[in-house]
Amino acid sequence: MWKSICCAILLASLIQATSLLACAPQDRASTPETATPKYDDWLLVDGDQTKFKIRIEVFLPAGQPASDFTARLQQPDRNIDSNIEQTANRLTTVLAADLFGQYPSMVLSTFDGRFYKEVVFPRHDMRRLCAEGLKVTLEPRRSISIRVLDDGQPVSNARVFGRQSVMTNSNGVAIVNASPNDRRFSAIAPDGKVGILRFSDLTPEQIRKDEFQIDITNGVRQTIRAIDDNGNPVPDVMIMPQSRDRSIELIPTKGFPITLDDRGETEVTWLPNLPTSPRASIRVVGKTWQALGDEKTPDVWTVKLKRLVRKQITGRVELPAGVKGGFQVRLTSFDHPTDRRVDQLYTTTDDQGNFVANVLPGAVYCAFAIDSRWSSSFWDGVIVKEDGTAQQPVITLSPGLPIRIVATQGPGESPMANTSISVSRSHGFRTKDASGNARAEWPVETDENGVAVAFASPGRLDVSIRNSNFNDRKTIKVEEGSKNEVKFHRKNVDSQSISGKLNPPAGSSVSTAGANVFVEASDGKFHFSSKITASNQGEFELQGMGDRFAVLAMTADKKAAGFSFCDVKGAGDLSIDLAPTLPYRGLVLDQDGQPLADCKVVMTVRLTDSLGKDLRFSAVTKTMTELNSTTGSNGQIEFPTTPVGVSLVLRIDDARVKDAAQRYLGERMLLPEDDRPRETFRLGLTSQYNAKTIVKWLEELQLDCKAADANRLVIIAGDDQPGTAKFVRSKLLDVQDTKDILWYLPAWISHEKSQLDESRQLFASLKWPTPSNGQIAIIATAPNGNEIGRMILDVTDESSAQLASEFLREHKGAAVDAKQKLDSALKLARQSNRKVWAITGNTRCTPCLRFARWIESQREILEKDYLFLKVDAYRHENALEIKKLITSGKNQGVPFYAILDHDGAVLIDSEGPLGNIGYVSTHEGAQHFRQMLTETANSLTETEINELVNSLGK
């Protein structure tokens, strides 16, 4: 589910990465609390607010105490009262967590501007830092030169800003005192043109230089407007316009987040294109408003908001004896009413461990504490029920065990000092209608020896290292009495030379002069991408960071393209053969089957490394949006110059198409001399579509049961009350807690549908029971359609859950051994001179059921050459062993299938040029399916193979 995936990403982004690069070394002791804290008055309770008193000692780089320096507190979205007491090099201030659980950062700078430090106060370590005090060493500011150019000409009086704002001189140069944390600079010219400099796009050698350049271009201004559900403007709301594509960037003029004016509006500058595509979105900062939707035009982007209703609750962290409060608590819910939005709440306990939070009624939350030394339990459940009753989340703490983390780099394994390491523990829990995964995540930092120490309870711990252009991740099982150590090693620390020559297609007149060459690290660890133009002889050379690279080249006229992968050793002498590009044609129809005119369709390139690393070309996506087409009045599109042998991702870039599923048109791959017909894309179903009748629905479900060798479970509701629905979901259909339901294909008939005339007639003919209010009827049928059991359950009776569980277990059928099935199939295959068609899938996979239904429809012709073996990893014993044989040990989606010889060896499987073809629905899949039949069939004729391929998807 997206919730399990995006949660980790979203929570990681919300973790405040520590900038305490020079704070006191971490205590290496295994006890979580300092035995004799330096200060006792670090935790203050002022009414209902918890505050922290923190002491800071400031030093110059040489180690002497600083004297002539300034200190101020800052936060992007508000003014902070800089109530800081300063004596010599010592500072004292009191900090309180704000509404979002964040603390302001402190900016330290010498009067002459030579030394600087920004200190971010981390949630996970506030208790220790306040009790022990903090030592900060200022760092030298780096003076760099940034030249702003417009078509090669210097731009004077342009504003260059990162953490500070500087104007360019008459030569277009701005001198900026950059801090070590500066990674991005923007420029705005007097005429409104804008540009960006990202250090993440540069090699270490380029970053070490003191001169940089920003090329500006025309930015596009757009008004963002917020209205409520009555159409009234919503003023003073903070928003974060965000892009999902590096080809669209927002140049901030006043920093993030952006606050709407009293008209509910703000103006932003996008580079280079307007975010009329679905790849840009607006996130509302704060917990007060819910985004209902938006409307985009080239001039105005209107977002509709609705005020959320919350209720304040109390919770508790059980404090061990002698331990003060002040713990940071996070509450996470995936039941936010805004689609794909996680409700993330932060709060702080008082000195007794009590906390308050404003939660959404009816939402399931996961609550836990975050602390660098103490390990928290996870609590999950509905805190405030729909009727207003509430329960109190209670969290317990346990001392964390020390985990030693070592980070080295280069041939001599030199330490990676002052490097951020993220550690996290995850907890899976059930939401209203899905499942989620919350993470307790916090950073630690390596010392001068490349060593960091984290504390966590026994169990699985994810550890990841990340900086501007390198990341790696490992998992450790933390155990009592174990060494508990994680090691990271960055093999290459210097940039590598990537060079080679482009070879035009044999016998062609295509020129390689000026071809575009895109390079990106494809090792999954380094973040590097670049573009270069080949010489007149088709040669290229550049410097790149990584252990392995992907290279894509395309001639200036786009008539030929080619690609290659290489390790570091082979990166200096590449020879890339180009192949002629081919046309790709399509037809886009709207939901009523009518041509969708003037619709922009974008084609981007994706390469998949042969080592199994999936690489999405951000550089290619940004530059090759020239590979686009706009439908004509007949809805037809054409890409005249499409690269072959690479993955092509097609999507609609049109504000009229709002459904994300409809905007994504799929993934394709053209092969040399591929002459494919025009492909039709139908965007949704017509509004006149009539839903299937109950009779038809149950008949088709029974056909699926026969094809999948599964039982059918019909559930008839006596009413449509929340309690009945909750019982069905949790006690019958929840595959997490009710594994036996995987032996069935269920049909849940609501009370409303059960009252239709056709339903009444069907139930009467089958003599099915009619449940009363508060009841449900369940009827089980075998794959052949014969009834094998029925029962009426009272959902209010506590014993009904056990009765339902016993019913599912009793009627699911006998256990099946997948290994015995395979042995029997191989034996029969030898006797009949056929091959075994082995399929792995499950009863909750719609493509698996569709493919099974297709096999049933073609069984007579297919069984001339094949015996079918179906393996279900959930239902069959020893299924994982047989699945490993079918997939050759790879992690594949389902359905996945392989054709085996008499001895069980894989002759060919369903992994095509774009991955697993599954239930065949694309041209590429059909071609690979044809290859599977052609290479393995003994008696099937070419005509029969054509008929089989053509019947797919029908």
Side-chain angles (χ1 to χ4, degrees):
M1 301 284 302
W2 75 269
K3 295 178 179 178
S4 302
I5 299 172
C6 83
C7 178
I9 298 174
L10 180 61
L11 299 190
S13 68
L14 291 172
I15 294 295
Q16 234 174 349
T18 180
S19 297
L20 304 174
L21 300 180
C23 64
Q26 294 213 29
D27 183 7
R28 306 304 186 199
S30 60
T31 53
E33 291 280 272
T34 304
T36 54
K38 189 174 181 180
Y39 305 103
D40 293 325
D41 61 343
W42 58 270
L43 183 63
L44 307 174
V45 178
D46 183 7
D48 59 353
Q49 189 172 38
T50 301
K51 298 182 179 181
F52 295 92
K53 179 184 285 189
I54 188 166
R55 284 92 166 176
I56 303 174
E57 295 179 80
V58 184
F59 297 87
L60 295 174
Q64 67 270 39
S67 56
D68 299 328
F69 68 95
T70 63
R72 63 183 175 87
L73 295 170
Q74 69 174 15
Q75 199 156 344
D77 56 338
R78 66 196 63 194
N79 296 321
I80 300 297
D81 181 13
S82 300
N83 185 18
I84 302 173
E85 298 178 8
Q86 183 172 347
T87 304
N89 75 320
R90 297 173 182 269
L91 306 172
T92 302
T93 190
V94 175
L95 303 174
D98 70 3
L99 180 64
F100 311 120
Q102 298 176 347
Y103 301 105
S105 59
M106 179 177 285
V107 178
L108 305 171
S109 177
T110 57
F111 290 148
D112 58 13
R114 294 173 55 205
F115 304 105
Y116 170 94
K117 185 73 175 181
E118 181 178 2
V119 179
V120 177
F121 301 105
R123 285 188 287 265
H124 68 284
D125 221 16
M126 282 298 295
R127 301 176 69 259
R128 185 183 68 85
L129 294 179
C130 291
E132 298 177 5
L134 175 64
K135 294 181 179 180
V136 174
T137 299
L138 302 181
E139 297 173 342
R141 260 186 164 165
R142 175 186 174 198
S143 181
I144 64 174
S145 170
I146 298 179
R147 182 182 297 273
V148 180
L149 300 177
D150 182 2
D151 197 20
Q153 299 301 312
V155 181
S156 59
N157 296 320
R159 187 151 58 95
V160 176
F161 58 96
R163 293 175 184 264
Q164 59 176 303
S165 176
V166 181
M167 304 298 288
T168 59
N169 59 22
S170 58
N171 296 318
V173 175
I175 305 300
V176 178
N177 288 323
S179 73
N181 295 325
D182 286 329
R183 289 290 179 264
R184 168 182 161 141
F185 295 90
S186 303
I188 300 181
D191 62 1
K193 290 185 177 181
V194 293
I196 296 176
L197 169 65
R198 304 184 196 86
F199 279 13
S200 60
D201 291 338
L202 305 178
T203 64
E205 290 84 356
Q206 292 172 322
I207 293 175
R208 284 193 287 266
K209 294 179 179 179
D210 294 328
E211 295 183 358
F212 300 90
Q213 177 177 310
I214 296 179
D215 295 309
I216 62 172
T217 186
N218 286 317
V220 183
R221 302 287 290 180
Q222 186 180 53
T223 297
I224 298 178
R225 177 183 300 152
I227 60 175
D228 62 20
D229 46 348
N230 294 318
N232 300 316
V234 183
D236 302 323
V237 171
M238 290 182 292
I239 62 171
M240 291 281 285
Q242 297 173 321
S243 170
R244 302 188 187 104
D245 190 327
R246 294 184 69 213
S247 66
I248 300 177
E249 288 258 12
L250 174 65
I251 305 295
T253 56
K254 296 182 180 179
F256 289 122
I258 298 172
T259 302
L260 302 179
D261 61 20
D262 56 3
R263 297 173 302 174
E265 295 182 354
T266 188
E267 280 196 340
V268 297
T269 302
W270 293 94
L271 177 72
N273 299 313
L274 279 173
T276 54
S277 77
R279 292 168 294 146
S281 61
I282 290 179
R283 182 172 69 85
V284 180
V285 179
K287 311 301 178 185
T288 307
W289 293 95
Q290 168 195 358
L292 297 178
D294 61 0
E295 294 286 344
K296 300 184 184 76
T297 69
D299 299 320
V300 182
W301 187 354
T302 303
V303 182
K304 191 174 183 180
L305 305 179
K306 180 180 179 181
R307 190 176 293 275
L308 285 173
V309 176
R310 293 181 177 272
K311 183 172 182 179
Q312 188 175 90
I313 58 92
T314 61
R316 180 171 179 79
V317 174
E318 297 286 358
L319 301 178
V323 175
K324 287 186 180 181
F327 284 91
Q328 307 301 297
V329 176
R330 180 186 301 160
L331 298 96
T332 299
S333 175
F334 301 119
D335 293 330
H336 196 283
T338 301
D339 186 35
R340 296 177 180 265
R341 174 88 185 263
V342 176
D343 197 42
Q344 194 81 261
L345 306 178
Y346 298 92
T347 184
T348 307
T349 74
D350 61 15
D351 54 345
Q352 301 300 312
N354 301 307
F355 64 87
V356 297
N358 294 312
V359 303
L360 297 171
V364 179
Y365 283 88
C366 177
F368 52 92
I370 304 176
D371 189 83
S372 63
R373 301 304 176 90
W374 290 92
S375 190
S376 165
S377 64
F378 292 92
W379 180 97
D380 64 73
V382 176
I383 301 179
V384 178
K385 296 181 180 180
E386 297 288 357
D387 61 7
T389 60
Q391 61 177 323
Q392 184 184 66
V394 178
I395 300 167
T396 59
L397 300 173
S398 60
L401 299 174
I403 297 95
R404 187 171 185 265
I405 305 167
V406 182
T408 58
Q409 60 185 352
E413 297 192 2
S414 58
M416 294 179 66
N418 302 328
T419 299
S420 179
I421 308 287
S422 175
V423 293
S424 64
R425 299 166 52 234
S426 62
H427 172 71
F429 63 103
R430 187 75 184 172
T431 67
K432 279 183 179 178
D433 55 2
S435 59
N437 190 15
R439 284 182 178 273
E441 184 171 7
W442 65 99
V444 294
E445 191 172 86
T446 60
D447 58 18
E448 66 276 6
N449 298 314
V451 177
V453 175
F455 294 84
S457 59
R460 173 182 169 134
L461 189 72
D462 293 321
V463 185
S464 59
I465 182 171
R466 52 192 174 208
N467 56 30
S468 60
N469 63 359
F470 177 79
N471 67 274
D472 198 3
R473 179 175 178 172
K474 296 185 178 180
T475 299
I476 180 176
K477 184 178 181 181
V478 180
E479 297 178 314
E480 290 270 9
S482 179
K483 188 177 181 180
N484 294 329
E485 183 176 82
V486 179
K487 293 184 178 181
F488 293 101
H489 179 65
R490 175 176 173 172
K491 184 178 179 181
N492 293 318
V493 294
D494 297 319
S495 60
Q496 312 295 323
S497 176
I498 306 168
S499 61
K501 182 176 175 56
L502 307 179
N503 305 315
S508 75
S509 59
V510 174
S511 172
T512 58
N516 293 316
V517 181
F518 307 91
V519 181
E520 185 159 327
S522 63
D523 49 36
K525 296 181 180 180
F526 285 88
H527 308 292
F528 170 79
S529 63
S530 185
K531 173 192 172 185
I532 194 172
T533 301
S535 68
N536 290 335
Q537 291 74 40
E539 297 175 343
F540 63 92
E541 183 175 7
L542 74 160
Q543 298 293 309
M545 287 295 301
D547 295 331
R548 185 171 171 84
F549 302 96
V551 184
L552 176 72
M554 195 169 191
T555 57
D557 59 8
K558 298 183 174 61
K559 290 185 177 180
F563 65 95
S564 179
F565 299 98
C566 63
D567 292 318
V568 170
K569 293 181 179 178
D573 188 24
L574 292 172
S575 179
I576 300 179
D577 294 328
L578 306 184
T581 54
L582 296 175
Y584 176 85
R585 303 177 181 88
L587 172 65
V588 182
L589 303 178
D590 64 17
Q591 63 178 5
D592 295 318
Q594 299 302 310
L596 189 62
D598 299 321
C599 177
K600 183 181 177 183
V601 180
V602 179
M603 175 184 288
T604 53
V605 177
R606 187 175 73 180
L607 298 182
T608 301
D609 197 334
S610 59
L611 295 183
K613 300 294 183 183
D614 187 54
L615 168 67
R616 293 186 181 272
F617 259 85
S618 57
V620 174
T621 302
K622 177 173 60 179
T623 305
M624 294 183 66
T625 49
E626 296 174 4
L627 285 180
N628 62 66
S629 178
T630 301
T631 61
S633 59
N634 57 3
Q636 293 184 355
I637 53 171
E638 180 169 352
F639 295 87
T641 53
T642 306
V644 300
V646 297
S647 171
L648 308 166
V649 179
L650 291 159
R651 59 176 173 78
I652 288 178
D653 191 357
D654 192 306
R656 292 174 295 172
V657 183
K658 304 183 185 304
D659 187 352
Q662 293 184 27
R663 291 191 296 261
Y664 176 72
L665 299 181
E667 189 175 2
R668 303 293 183 263
M669 179 183 290
L670 274 65
L671 300 177
E673 302 179 0
D674 195 352
D675 184 18
R676 64 174 62 204
R678 186 180 296 276
E679 185 168 8
T680 300
F681 300 99
R682 176 76 173 269
L683 305 184
L685 297 174
T686 175
S687 57
Q688 302 300 317
Y689 172 75
N690 293 318
K692 294 177 183 176
T693 65
I694 294 289
V695 174
K696 184 67 173 176
W697 176 37
L698 293 177
E699 286 178 351
E700 292 189 356
L701 186 64
Q702 192 64 58
L703 290 175
D704 285 336
C705 289
K706 180 180 178 182
D709 192 27
N711 295 337
R712 185 181 66 176
L713 186 73
V714 178
I715 305 166
I716 305 173
D719 60 58
D720 290 331
Q721 297 299 315
T724 301
K726 181 179 180 181
F727 182 89
V728 173
R729 288 194 185 100
S730 62
K731 305 306 179 184
L732 286 172
L733 302 183
D734 188 343
V735 298
Q736 301 294 326
D737 299 327
T738 315
K739 299 293 185 183
D740 290 336
I741 191 62
L742 292 170
W743 271 256
Y744 301 82
L745 295 183
W748 178 5
I749 302 175
S750 67
H751 178 67
E752 180 183 5
K753 290 184 178 180
S754 71
Q755 299 306 302
L756 299 175
D757 289 341
E758 59 151 335
S759 300
R760 292 176 181 273
Q761 293 172 10
L762 175 65
F763 297 167
S765 66
L766 297 174
K767 298 182 180 180
W768 282 355
T770 302
S772 304
N773 288 343
Q775 295 181 336
I776 61 170
I778 53 178
I779 302 100
T781 59
N784 62 7
N786 294 333
E787 183 176 325
I788 55 178
R790 64 171 65 185
M791 174 179 285
I792 291 183
L793 294 170
D794 184 344
V795 299
T796 63
D797 191 333
E798 293 183 358
S799 65
S800 291
Q802 180 64 29
L803 293 173
S805 177
E806 292 173 355
F807 181 92
L808 294 178
R809 188 181 311 114
E810 178 184 354
H811 297 96
K812 70 178 184 179
V816 176
D817 190 308
K819 192 173 184 306
Q820 291 180 3
K821 287 183 65 176
L822 175 61
D823 292 340
S824 299
L826 291 174
K827 180 180 179 180
L828 186 56
R830 283 191 291 268
Q831 295 172 351
S832 58
N833 193 28
R834 289 184 287 176
K835 297 179 178 67
V836 174
W837 194 315
I839 308 164
T840 177
N842 60 70
T843 57
R844 293 303 178 270
C845 162
T846 299
C848 297
L849 298 175
R850 295 184 67 187
F851 189 60
R853 184 97 71 88
W854 178 84
I855 290 174
E856 288 300 314
S857 69
Q858 305 295 329
R859 183 175 290 276
E860 182 178 353
I861 186 172
L862 287 169
E863 286 190 339
K864 291 181 180 180
D865 287 323
Y866 305 102
L867 283 166
F868 286 92
L869 169 70
K870 298 176 184 178
V871 177
D872 189 318
Y874 298 113
R875 296 189 293 156
H876 298 162
E877 297 177 1
N878 298 313
L880 293 180
E881 178 184 347
I882 308 306
K883 179 181 178 181
K884 191 174 182 180
L885 166 68
I886 298 171
T887 62
S888 299
K890 297 179 182 179
N891 185 20
Q892 299 282 7
V894 291
F896 189 86
Y897 39 96
I899 298 177
L900 315 178
D901 65 12
H902 298 164
D903 298 319
V906 175
L907 299 175
I908 190 171
D909 59 32
S910 59
E911 185 172 9
L914 293 174
N916 178 27
I917 64 176
Y919 176 69
V920 182
S921 59
T922 65
H923 178 82
E924 293 81 5
Q927 293 301 92
H928 183 73
F929 194 83
R930 181 188 302 276
Q931 181 183 350
M932 294 182 69
L933 296 175
T934 302
E935 291 186 6
T936 60
N938 294 329
S939 58
L940 290 178
T941 66
E942 182 177 352
T943 299
E944 289 173 324
I945 290 176
N946 288 335
E947 291 176 352
L948 287 169
V949 173
N950 292 335
S951 69
L952 290 165
K954 299 293 179 62

